[in-house]
mmCIF file of all heavy atoms in Angstrom:
data_model
loop_
_atom_site.group_PDB
_atom_site.id
_atom_site.type_symbol
_atom_site.label_atom_id
_atom_site.label_comp_id
_atom_site.label_asym_id
_atom_site.label_seq_id
_atom_site.Cartn_x
_atom_site.Cartn_y
_atom_site.Cartn_z
ATOM 1 N N LEU A 9 -0.936 1.197 5.260
ATOM 2 C CA LEU A 9 -0.035 1.509 4.143
ATOM 3 C C LEU A 9 0.545 2.914 4.283
ATOM 4 O O LEU A 9 1.708 3.152 3.918
ATOM 5 C CB LEU A 9 -0.787 1.366 2.822
ATOM 6 C CG LEU A 9 -1.230 -0.060 2.476
ATOM 7 C CD1 LEU A 9 -2.128 -0.067 1.248
ATOM 8 C CD2 LEU A 9 -0.025 -0.969 2.268
ATOM 9 N N THR A 10 -0.226 3.827 4.815
ATOM 10 C CA THR A 10 0.292 5.182 5.045
ATOM 11 C C THR A 10 1.413 5.165 6.071
ATOM 12 O O THR A 10 2.436 5.849 5.923
ATOM 13 C CB THR A 10 -0.843 6.114 5.506
ATOM 14 O OG1 THR A 10 -1.852 6.181 4.492
ATOM 15 C CG2 THR A 10 -0.317 7.524 5.778
ATOM 16 N N LEU A 11 1.252 4.373 7.126
ATOM 17 C CA LEU A 11 2.307 4.263 8.133
ATOM 18 C C LEU A 11 3.566 3.630 7.547
ATOM 19 O O LEU A 11 4.691 4.038 7.878
ATOM 20 C CB LEU A 11 1.812 3.443 9.325
ATOM 21 C CG LEU A 11 0.685 4.066 10.157
ATOM 22 C CD1 LEU A 11 0.274 3.137 11.294
ATOM 23 C CD2 LEU A 11 1.092 5.434 10.706
ATOM 24 N N ILE A 12 3.393 2.636 6.670
ATOM 25 C CA ILE A 12 4.556 2.031 6.013
ATOM 26 C C ILE A 12 5.282 3.063 5.163
ATOM 27 O O ILE A 12 6.513 3.196 5.216
ATOM 28 C CB ILE A 12 4.117 0.831 5.153
ATOM 29 C CG1 ILE A 12 3.650 -0.323 6.044
ATOM 30 C CG2 ILE A 12 5.261 0.373 4.243
ATOM 31 C CD1 ILE A 12 3.055 -1.485 5.280
ATOM 32 N N LYS A 13 4.530 3.815 4.373
ATOM 33 C CA LYS A 13 5.155 4.841 3.526
ATOM 34 C C LYS A 13 5.847 5.900 4.379
ATOM 35 O O LYS A 13 6.951 6.365 4.050
ATOM 36 C CB LYS A 13 4.109 5.485 2.624
ATOM 37 C CG LYS A 13 4.679 6.533 1.688
ATOM 38 C CD LYS A 13 3.641 7.090 0.726
ATOM 39 C CE LYS A 13 4.268 8.132 -0.198
ATOM 40 N NZ LYS A 13 3.268 8.675 -1.163
ATOM 41 N N SER A 14 5.230 6.269 5.502
ATOM 42 C CA SER A 14 5.839 7.248 6.394
ATOM 43 C C SER A 14 7.173 6.738 6.929
ATOM 44 O O SER A 14 8.150 7.489 7.015
ATOM 45 C CB SER A 14 4.885 7.552 7.557
ATOM 46 O OG SER A 14 5.516 8.357 8.520
ATOM 47 N N ALA A 15 7.221 5.448 7.281
ATOM 48 C CA ALA A 15 8.474 4.876 7.798
ATOM 49 C C ALA A 15 9.555 4.879 6.723
ATOM 50 O O ALA A 15 10.714 5.219 7.002
ATOM 51 C CB ALA A 15 8.222 3.447 8.288
ATOM 52 N N ILE A 16 9.208 4.504 5.503
ATOM 53 C CA ILE A 16 10.200 4.417 4.436
ATOM 54 C C ILE A 16 10.690 5.799 4.022
ATOM 55 O O ILE A 16 11.888 5.999 3.769
ATOM 56 C CB ILE A 16 9.604 3.672 3.218
ATOM 57 C CG1 ILE A 16 9.224 2.234 3.582
ATOM 58 C CG2 ILE A 16 10.596 3.686 2.049
ATOM 59 C CD1 ILE A 16 10.358 1.387 4.071
ATOM 60 N N THR A 17 9.787 6.770 3.960
ATOM 61 C CA THR A 17 10.168 8.121 3.509
ATOM 62 C C THR A 17 10.610 9.016 4.658
ATOM 63 O O THR A 17 11.130 10.111 4.418
ATOM 64 C CB THR A 17 8.981 8.790 2.797
ATOM 65 O OG1 THR A 17 7.872 8.908 3.712
ATOM 66 C CG2 THR A 17 8.553 7.960 1.585
ATOM 67 N N ASP A 18 10.387 8.562 5.902
ATOM 68 C CA ASP A 18 10.721 9.335 7.110
ATOM 69 C C ASP A 18 10.014 10.684 7.115
ATOM 70 O O ASP A 18 10.601 11.713 7.451
ATOM 71 C CB ASP A 18 12.234 9.538 7.226
ATOM 72 C CG ASP A 18 12.646 9.953 8.631
ATOM 73 O OD1 ASP A 18 11.909 9.630 9.586
ATOM 74 O OD2 ASP A 18 13.689 10.620 8.778
ATOM 75 N N GLN A 19 8.737 10.643 6.747
ATOM 76 C CA GLN A 19 7.930 11.863 6.728
ATOM 77 C C GLN A 19 6.581 11.609 7.393
ATOM 78 O O GLN A 19 5.998 10.533 7.235
ATOM 79 C CB GLN A 19 7.686 12.325 5.284
ATOM 80 C CG GLN A 19 8.923 12.739 4.528
ATOM 81 C CD GLN A 19 8.602 13.125 3.093
ATOM 82 O OE1 GLN A 19 7.482 12.933 2.619
ATOM 83 N NE2 GLN A 19 9.580 13.680 2.392
ATOM 84 N N PRO A 20 6.057 12.595 8.142
ATOM 85 C CA PRO A 20 4.687 12.457 8.668
ATOM 86 C C PRO A 20 3.695 12.575 7.526
ATOM 87 O O PRO A 20 3.852 13.409 6.624
ATOM 88 C CB PRO A 20 4.571 13.626 9.649
ATOM 89 C CG PRO A 20 5.555 14.641 9.155
ATOM 90 C CD PRO A 20 6.694 13.864 8.543
ATOM 91 N N LEU A 21 2.686 11.756 7.536
ATOM 92 C CA LEU A 21 1.687 11.753 6.468
ATOM 93 C C LEU A 21 0.296 11.743 7.080
ATOM 94 O O LEU A 21 0.083 11.193 8.166
ATOM 95 C CB LEU A 21 1.873 10.524 5.570
ATOM 96 C CG LEU A 21 3.211 10.414 4.818
ATOM 97 C CD1 LEU A 21 3.324 9.048 4.144
ATOM 98 C CD2 LEU A 21 3.345 11.525 3.792
ATOM 99 N N PRO A 22 -0.683 12.338 6.395
ATOM 100 C CA PRO A 22 -2.059 12.338 6.918
ATOM 101 C C PRO A 22 -2.677 10.949 6.863
ATOM 102 O O PRO A 22 -2.540 10.231 5.870
ATOM 103 C CB PRO A 22 -2.788 13.310 5.984
ATOM 104 C CG PRO A 22 -1.992 13.310 4.714
ATOM 105 C CD PRO A 22 -0.557 13.105 5.132
ATOM 106 N N LEU A 23 -3.356 10.589 7.944
ATOM 107 C CA LEU A 23 -3.987 9.283 8.055
ATOM 108 C C LEU A 23 -5.493 9.398 7.826
ATOM 109 O O LEU A 23 -6.072 10.472 7.991
ATOM 110 C CB LEU A 23 -3.726 8.696 9.443
ATOM 111 C CG LEU A 23 -2.284 8.299 9.734
ATOM 112 C CD1 LEU A 23 -2.058 8.176 11.239
ATOM 113 C CD2 LEU A 23 -1.944 6.989 9.045
ATOM 114 N N PRO A 24 -6.137 8.299 7.441
ATOM 115 C CA PRO A 24 -7.598 8.329 7.297
ATOM 116 C C PRO A 24 -8.268 8.728 8.607
ATOM 117 O O PRO A 24 -7.795 8.388 9.690
ATOM 118 C CB PRO A 24 -7.949 6.882 6.921
ATOM 119 C CG PRO A 24 -6.698 6.315 6.358
ATOM 120 C CD PRO A 24 -5.568 6.983 7.078
ATOM 121 N N SER A 25 -9.355 9.432 8.514
ATOM 122 C CA SER A 25 -10.072 9.877 9.698
ATOM 123 C C SER A 25 -10.514 8.674 10.539
ATOM 124 O O SER A 25 -11.083 7.713 10.030
ATOM 125 C CB SER A 25 -11.298 10.693 9.281
ATOM 126 O OG SER A 25 -12.054 11.070 10.399
ATOM 127 N N GLY A 26 -10.225 8.736 11.810
ATOM 128 C CA GLY A 26 -10.653 7.679 12.712
ATOM 129 C C GLY A 26 -9.717 6.497 12.798
ATOM 130 O O GLY A 26 -9.948 5.579 13.592
ATOM 131 N N PHE A 27 -8.634 6.460 11.999
ATOM 132 C CA PHE A 27 -7.701 5.327 12.053
ATOM 133 C C PHE A 27 -6.907 5.375 13.351
ATOM 134 O O PHE A 27 -6.387 6.414 13.751
ATOM 135 C CB PHE A 27 -6.741 5.369 10.868
ATOM 136 C CG PHE A 27 -5.654 4.322 10.938
ATOM 137 C CD1 PHE A 27 -5.906 3.016 10.548
ATOM 138 C CD2 PHE A 27 -4.385 4.637 11.414
ATOM 139 C CE1 PHE A 27 -4.921 2.045 10.629
ATOM 140 C CE2 PHE A 27 -3.393 3.675 11.502
ATOM 141 C CZ PHE A 27 -3.668 2.380 11.096
ATOM 142 N N THR A 28 -6.787 4.220 14.014
ATOM 143 C CA THR A 28 -5.994 4.110 15.234
ATOM 144 C C THR A 28 -5.186 2.811 15.190
ATOM 145 O O THR A 28 -5.378 1.972 14.301
ATOM 146 C CB THR A 28 -6.883 4.093 16.496
ATOM 147 O OG1 THR A 28 -7.597 2.842 16.549
ATOM 148 C CG2 THR A 28 -7.870 5.250 16.499
ATOM 149 N N LEU A 29 -4.317 2.649 16.173
ATOM 150 C CA LEU A 29 -3.515 1.429 16.274
ATOM 151 C C LEU A 29 -4.259 0.302 16.973
ATOM 152 O O LEU A 29 -3.746 -0.821 17.036
ATOM 153 C CB LEU A 29 -2.217 1.722 17.043
ATOM 154 C CG LEU A 29 -1.270 2.753 16.441
ATOM 155 C CD1 LEU A 29 -0.057 2.943 17.356
ATOM 156 C CD2 LEU A 29 -0.824 2.348 15.052
ATOM 157 N N GLU A 30 -5.443 0.570 17.443
ATOM 158 C CA GLU A 30 -6.168 -0.425 18.218
ATOM 159 C C GLU A 30 -6.416 -1.710 17.414
ATOM 160 O O GLU A 30 -7.008 -1.691 16.335
ATOM 161 C CB GLU A 30 -7.510 0.137 18.683
ATOM 162 C CG GLU A 30 -8.278 -0.814 19.586
ATOM 163 C CD GLU A 30 -9.592 -0.226 20.066
ATOM 164 O OE1 GLU A 30 -9.897 0.935 19.707
ATOM 165 O OE2 GLU A 30 -10.315 -0.934 20.799
ATOM 166 N N GLY A 31 -5.911 -2.806 17.945
ATOM 167 C CA GLY A 31 -6.200 -4.116 17.373
ATOM 168 C C GLY A 31 -5.466 -4.473 16.100
ATOM 169 O O GLY A 31 -5.742 -5.526 15.510
ATOM 170 N N ILE A 32 -4.500 -3.658 15.669
ATOM 171 C CA ILE A 32 -3.863 -3.952 14.376
ATOM 172 C C ILE A 32 -2.589 -4.779 14.509
ATOM 173 O O ILE A 32 -2.050 -5.248 13.499
ATOM 174 C CB ILE A 32 -3.552 -2.666 13.572
ATOM 175 C CG1 ILE A 32 -2.394 -1.882 14.208
ATOM 176 C CG2 ILE A 32 -4.775 -1.786 13.437
ATOM 177 C CD1 ILE A 32 -1.863 -0.788 13.302
ATOM 178 N N LEU A 33 -2.086 -4.990 15.728
ATOM 179 C CA LEU A 33 -0.829 -5.709 15.890
ATOM 180 C C LEU A 33 -0.871 -7.119 15.299
ATOM 181 O O LEU A 33 0.073 -7.519 14.608
ATOM 182 C CB LEU A 33 -0.407 -5.748 17.353
ATOM 183 C CG LEU A 33 0.915 -6.468 17.648
ATOM 184 C CD1 LEU A 33 2.063 -5.860 16.842
ATOM 185 C CD2 LEU A 33 1.231 -6.429 19.139
ATOM 186 N N PRO A 34 -1.920 -7.919 15.526
ATOM 187 C CA PRO A 34 -1.934 -9.259 14.916
ATOM 188 C C PRO A 34 -1.840 -9.213 13.394
ATOM 189 O O PRO A 34 -1.158 -10.044 12.791
ATOM 190 C CB PRO A 34 -3.280 -9.837 15.374
ATOM 191 C CG PRO A 34 -3.582 -9.123 16.652
ATOM 192 C CD PRO A 34 -3.072 -7.728 16.438
ATOM 193 N N LEU A 35 -2.508 -8.247 12.773
ATOM 194 C CA LEU A 35 -2.441 -8.124 11.317
ATOM 195 C C LEU A 35 -1.033 -7.732 10.876
ATOM 196 O O LEU A 35 -0.490 -8.284 9.915
ATOM 197 C CB LEU A 35 -3.455 -7.091 10.834
ATOM 198 C CG LEU A 35 -3.546 -6.876 9.321
ATOM 199 C CD1 LEU A 35 -4.015 -8.154 8.622
ATOM 200 C CD2 LEU A 35 -4.500 -5.723 9.003
ATOM 201 N N CYS A 36 -0.412 -6.795 11.593
ATOM 202 C CA CYS A 36 0.952 -6.379 11.262
ATOM 203 C C CYS A 36 1.928 -7.535 11.430
ATOM 204 O O CYS A 36 2.832 -7.735 10.610
ATOM 205 C CB CYS A 36 1.377 -5.207 12.143
ATOM 206 S SG CYS A 36 0.437 -3.700 11.868
#
Side-chain angles (χ1 to χ4, degrees):
L9 294 172
T10 299
L11 294 179
I12 291 173
K13 182 176 180 179
S14 172
I16 298 300
T17 61
D18 197 25
Q19 296 178 351
L21 298 171
L23 291 161
S25 177
F27 174 81
T28 70
L29 299 178
E30 184 179 359
I32 71 168
L33 181 56
L35 182 63
C36 295

